[in-house]
Amino acid sequence: MTGQASTEGAASGKVILFGEHAVVYGSPAIAAGLDRGARAVVTRQPSGPSTLRLGDGTVVADASSASDLGRAFSALLEVAPAIPPVHVEARCDLPPGGGLGSSAALAVSIARAAEALARSGETRPEEDAAIEARVLARAAAWERIFHGNPSGIDATAAAQGGIFRFTRAEGARPITPRHDLVLCVGSTGHPSSTRTTVELIASQHAKDPVLVKRSIDAITSIVGNAVLAIEAGDMRALGDLMNMNQLVLSGLFVSTSELEELCALARSAGALGAKLTGGGGGGCVIALVPPSFRSDGTRDEAREAESAARILDAWRGAESHYEGF
Ligand code: MEV
């Protein structure tokens, strides 16, 4: 590598609006990027092994270590063309294991910074698509260590943000919402392992494929209707679809009593719908804030902020003092 000695990369966190788990089996899902995410700074090193320091500096991995983090880091760097020795400082403002895509955001930010370092001084616009494809391939190699069988939706959301429909076969197709969606995110405070919940459903699928397929088919139809509702701006229908998606996910045993309580509290506080987001088994829920319009048809953001505050207060006021944003 020649040129700059140090480069930066950034990536978004995400929420899965609909279709988590079913997307692993080839069905569509809908995701949206979050403003929060990860940043990485990659610095050239004279010799290896490459090293990674996360957040407050307590987690350090080197690419030769056998830990999951070390293996994921090494897998990301080794995707061809391999990245020569580097030191990475990365920071993520999403809770780890919260279902908000912290792992994919870290991977994409590191991959972007490493690619920027590798190509420094010679950026040609026609190379951009190939570079982004390599960023996704590096993130997929990282995600396989943590998640086993990732569909790729988390890394895609981390890389591109926005709202999109995703399938394994077709990748992302942007959705244009008629009205902006306002969501509250509530956390159980308990991290969850996507690998564990994906494996839980895989073992149910191995035992009773017909039963699991019924749930996947139900989710596929919910996702199809959700795309239409987002495009038509039908928030009431969208909320109902979130509640239905949550029911199917509960039937697949990836919900928990805390996730159910967060959903119930949000609905009682006025949310149009609520569901877990991401792998489940802990982590976070999303709740749809009812939109408010003035008589001239413009959005009343102040009233929407009050509606969102009612949901956040309901979570914080519960005996378990759930956090939300
Ligand atoms: C995790 O955010 C979403 C899952 O569907 C896993 C995946 O798609 O890789 C549970």
Side-chain angles (χ1 to χ4, degrees):
M1 288 191 285
T2 55
Q4 281 168 275
S6 169
T7 46
E8 277 189 40
S12 328
K14 64 88 185 66
V15 288
I16 306 267
L17 296 174
F18 293 93
E20 48 274 271
H21 289 292
V23 68
V24 172
Y25 294 83
S27 291
I30 305 172
L34 292 173
D35 294 339
R36 297 177 179 213
R39 303 196 78 79
V41 177
V42 172
T43 308
R44 202 185 308 282
Q45 295 289 45
S47 58
S50 289
T51 49
L52 165 65
R53 184 158 62 198
L54 288 187
D56 58 6
T58 49
V59 185
V60 180
D62 84 47
S64 61
S65 102
S67 67
D68 277 358
L69 189 62
R71 289 193 306 124
F73 182 44
S74 156
L76 179 151
L77 297 175
E78 277 166 16
V79 168
I83 304 289
V86 285
H87 174 67
V88 180
E89 297 274 338
R91 186 169 287 279
C92 187
D93 60 2
L94 300 160
L100 303 179
S102 58
S103 159
L106 274 171
V108 169
S109 66
I110 295 169
R112 275 201 172 135
E115 286 287 341
L117 194 67
R119 71 173 195 267
S120 52
E122 22 155 328
T123 45
R124 291 208 304 273
E126 61 273 22
E127 289 173 346
D128 287 356
I131 290 163
E132 271 308 285
R134 230 160 37 225
V135 164
L136 286 179
R138 293 190 191 284
W142 162 294
E143 288 277 272
R144 271 195 291 278
I145 303 293
F146 289 113
H147 293 172
N149 181 20
S151 66
I153 193 170
D154 289 12
T156 302
Q160 69 169 48
I163 298 195
F164 60 90
R165 174 191 183 275
F166 176 93
T167 64
R168 284 187 103 131
E170 294 162 14
R173 194 187 77 201
I175 300 175
T176 310
R178 169 113 193 262
H179 302 304
D180 285 350
L181 308 184
V182 183
L183 296 167
C184 291
V185 178
S187 170
T188 60
H190 295 128
S192 69
S193 153
T194 301
R195 174 190 278 277
T196 305
T197 53
V198 167
E199 283 176 0
L200 175 77
I201 293 182
S203 70
Q204 291 175 52
H205 189 259
K207 274 189 221 129
D208 195 341
V210 175
L211 196 68
V212 172
K213 183 168 180 311
R214 238 177 255 153
S215 299
I216 291 172
D217 289 347
I219 293 175
T220 302
S221 127
I222 289 169
V223 170
N225 284 298
V227 172
L228 297 177
I230 293 170
E231 287 173 344
D234 188 342
M235 300 294 182
R236 221 156 258 293
L238 200 64
D240 290 344
L241 289 162
M242 287 171 75
N243 293 336
M244 283 181 218
N245 196 159
Q246 175 62 21
L247 264 178
V248 183
L249 289 165
S250 308
L252 287 167
F253 302 107
V254 293
S255 190
T256 65
S257 53
E258 287 180 322
L259 289 166
E260 294 299 330
E261 188 185 13
L262 277 161
C263 288
L265 287 164
R267 290 178 198 126
S268 314
L272 295 177
K275 63 178 279 296
L276 68 83
T277 185
C284 292
V285 303
I286 48 172
L288 183 64
V289 176
S292 296
F293 295 94
R294 297 190 193 86
S295 50
D296 63 3
T298 56
R299 246 0 229 270
D300 188 340
E301 281 93 1
R303 272 192 61 195
E304 288 176 358
E306 282 167 22
S307 302
R310 272 194 290 279
I311 296 169
L312 296 175
D313 284 349
W315 286 337
R316 289 178 191 138
E319 213 171 297
S320 314
H321 302 299
Y322 298 116
E323 272 312 311
F325 63 87

